Amino acid sequence: MVVLILVLIRITVAEVQPRVFYFTEEEIPLGTTIGNFGRDSKLHEEYPEFFDQLEYSILSQVPPGLFGLEDDQPVLMTLNQVDRDVVCPNQEQCTAEVNIKVGPSEYFHIIQVEVEIIDLNDNVPVFPESEIDISLPESSHIGSRIALSTAYDPDSPINAIRRYSLEDPTLTFGIDVVNNTDVGVELYIVLRKQLDRESQEEFRMNLLAFDGYGPTAQSGTTAIKVTVQDVNDNVPVFQRSAYEFSVEEQVSVDSLIGTVKADDLDIGENAVVVYSIPSSTVPFRIDSASGEIFNNIVLDHEEHTSYVFTVKASNEQGLSLPASARISVKIVDINDNAPVISIQGESEDDNEIEIPEGANTGSFVSHFTVADADSEQNGEYQCTLNFPQFQLIKLFDSQYKITTMTSLDREAIPFYDLKITCEDDGEPKLYAQKTLPVAITDINDNAPQFSQLVYLASITENAAHGTSVFTASATDPDAGSNGQVVYSIDDPTNFTIDPQSGFIRSKISLDREEVNRYALTAYATSIGRHPTYGTAQIHIYIADKNDQPPVLYFPSEYNNAVHIASLPADQLVARINATDHDVGTNALLSYYISGEDAFMFRVDESSGAISTRVDLDKYEQQAFFVTVVVRDHGDPPLTAQGSISIIVNGSIPFDPVPLSSRQNRTILLIIVGISAVAMVMLLLGIAA
């Protein structure tokens, strides 16, 4: 059998996508070549250097399974027998559509191949019944007509049924064919001669249907048996010869479709009309008494857009000539089908799509097709994506590809659940969604960062070497080895850092009195292909330990005597002068006195001021001895002590200084002021 091929190239929407048209007869053998779409779509001219490297695969075809590729070449061939009468029964034009993907992705194309299948007259007309039984009263008028079921031929209109013929040897009956633009062909058997039951009670004849033209024309036959009945002067007459009803699809079973009405001029039982539907192949029933028509099944516009059948009306006894009316039921489409989204290569084992961050705008992501089984507005749809970083490009009426809209940053968004939403224009609107997982793969485009530019840490002086000081921590938003960091510092003499954990330890025992602060620079370096690094400053302060005892300047080894002329009670004698090289509470001093003469004196614990408790002039002794103790507030506290000799010599002038409560407060404020100044100086030293 010869394959007829016509190649047409058309440029269609959104991007340059080739469309190729072929023509072929049905019933061609398996493996028959339809055409070389690679050559016919001009791909060899567009990619002359890479044409032999192109890859081809079938994305979809409607109907499925008819065609395949010949050894992965750009050649379309038949996989199954092409039967046009199965693919497109009764249709004037029959076209199969094949969408072919061209790869790899940098040469991505969709070639849309349309193959028009040319019909052969390979089907014989078939009547729905092998024998038709008709009963007619002998009183039937010449010219009376009875509707017959037409024959069926699935071939295309050019090879469909062309004419009917009746073989009646008695020439009592003929046929009448009416082409009704509303309901199609109407076929009637017509009475040509007056009947006489007493002369002939039964007639047998053949009804033939012929299709096509010329030598390929074929015919089908059914037998007709006419039985002549007696009596009943009038027959039912429908008020209309044809009825048209419309009903929405998906109405419940037993919904009222419409009502027909026939009248009989007889009276009594002879006027009772009984309705029936002769055909058992239509999904409707009729109430025999009321003429109301109901549906037996849930009607689906996508399966049948309309039904045409005959309703008969006869007398209750069934002896009169039945009347016939043509019934046409249009199934109105409702929006009961949501769009269906099919993603390229979709299967249960599919992995997520990976796109490297920083890829160029317009990089290919995926391809999908959309179909909606509804018609007209209910079958129109629009598709959107849920992320503005991606865009849809329409290739054909039902095909799209997804590309990037911007350069993607994994550290900003590492993963997208890319939702494709297609919503139709029906009422109510229906939609479908598909989720496409898209992972953004990493490149080393970020430097490690510490949480702070400057850190403060401390360690107690005299701590053993290897003592923990601080843990430096930096993060790198990159992934894998690009996000792993190692640590180092610029002072390997006094400190060490673990390169993996950032754990800093001392290498020596530190002395605050020698160095009270260290400034380190910590480095965090990524270990990816192109290393990056970040830095932070770490100030390590040496915390004081109470390892310095107080030092007495007065009394001292060389100056421990106080000479006075006389001294009444509550008069200042001397001040203890001491210091401590520690800081904070470790350097805060308290003063005490003891000894056998200590009861005559008192000491201010904070200022170290020694004053008389009694009037020393009343005592005969001229020398008094006091032991001075200075203790710091460390843990444990350290002390220093000395002794003071207080010698009363009347020849030495002495101006008593009374110690009022106001003077005590002044002394205390001076001490507090000195301590505050010392603390400020200490903090300024730390901050420096």
Side-chain angles (χ1 to χ4, degrees), residues 333-377:
D333 183 48
I334 65 172
N335 194 23
D336 59 340
N337 290 278
V340 177
I341 303 171
S342 301
I343 299 176
Q344 169 192 348
E346 184 179 33
S347 73
E348 293 182 356
D349 300 327
D350 281 343
N351 296 320
E352 62 192 18
I353 294 174
E354 293 186 348
I355 300 176
E357 64 175 329
N360 293 333
T361 298
S363 295
F364 175 78
V365 178
S366 186
H367 165 269
F368 68 93
T369 59
V370 186
D372 193 315
D374 291 319
S375 61
E376 298 179 352
Q377 181 176 336

Side-chain angles (χ1 to χ4, degrees), residues 7 9 18-20 36-44 111:
V7 182
I9 305 296
R19 178 177 288 175
V20 181
N36 188 320
F37 57 84
R39 177 195 62 217
D40 300 331
S41 64
K42 308 300 184 183
L43 275 182
H44 65 293
I111 298 177

Side-chain angles (χ1 to χ4, degrees), residues 565-586:
S566 63
L567 199 61
D570 295 326
Q571 297 299 313
L572 179 63
V573 175
R575 287 185 188 277
I576 303 170
N577 187 2
T579 188
D580 193 316
H581 294 298
D582 291 320
V583 294
T585 57
N586 293 333

Side-chain angles (χ1 to χ4, degrees), residues 208-277:
L208 291 84
F210 298 87
D211 69 3
Y213 296 96
T216 63
Q218 303 184 76
S219 64
T221 305
T222 185
I224 297 178
K225 174 185 174 183
V226 178
T227 301
V228 181
Q229 300 291 338
D230 204 7
V231 297
N232 214 335
D233 300 324
N234 294 285
V235 298
V237 177
F238 279 98
Q239 295 177 351
R240 292 154 57 187
S241 63
Y243 292 83
E244 294 184 5
F245 302 112
S246 294
V247 60
E248 286 189 348
E249 63 173 331
Q250 303 300 330
V251 296
S252 59
V253 175
D254 292 331
S255 294
L256 178 63
I257 305 301
T259 303
V260 298
K261 178 65 175 173
D263 301 313
D264 193 307
L265 298 178
D266 292 324
I267 61 174
E269 293 183 356
N270 291 333
V272 176
V273 177
V274 177
Y275 301 94
S276 64
I277 298 176

Side-chain angles (χ1 to χ4, degrees), residues 547-678:
D547 59 348
Q548 300 291 322
V551 177
L552 278 168
Y553 294 103
F554 176 80
S556 69
E557 183 180 358
Y558 305 104
N559 182 17
N560 60 355
V562 176
H563 295 269
I564 59 176
S566 63
L567 199 61
D570 295 326
Q571 297 299 313
L572 179 63
V573 175
R575 287 185 188 277
I576 303 170
N577 187 2
T579 188
D580 193 316
H581 294 298
D582 291 320
V583 294
T585 57
N586 293 333
L588 185 60
L589 303 179
S590 295
Y591 302 92
Y592 308 92
I593 59 174
S594 63
E596 61 182 15
D597 295 331
F599 73 93
M600 298 181 182
F601 303 92
R602 65 168 59 91
V603 65
D604 186 287
E605 185 177 329
S606 298
S607 66
I610 300 174
S611 59
T612 58
R613 189 185 294 272
V614 297
D615 187 355
L616 298 184
D617 293 337
K618 294 180 180 182
Y619 291 85
E620 294 181 355
Q621 66 186 81
Q622 293 183 338
F624 302 90
F625 300 97
V626 177
T627 299
V628 175
V629 177
V630 181
R631 179 183 295 124
D632 63 27
H633 286 231
D635 184 17
L638 300 178
T639 62
Q641 68 179 27
S643 59
I644 297 177
S645 300
I646 302 172
I647 301 170
V648 179
N649 187 345
S651 62
I652 299 176
F654 177 74
D655 184 13
V657 180
L659 291 174
S660 65
S661 60
R662 179 177 180 183
Q663 287 173 316
N664 285 334
R665 287 196 299 271
T666 302
I667 293 170
L668 178 60
L669 289 173
I670 292 171
I671 293 171
V672 172
I674 293 172
S675 300
V677 171

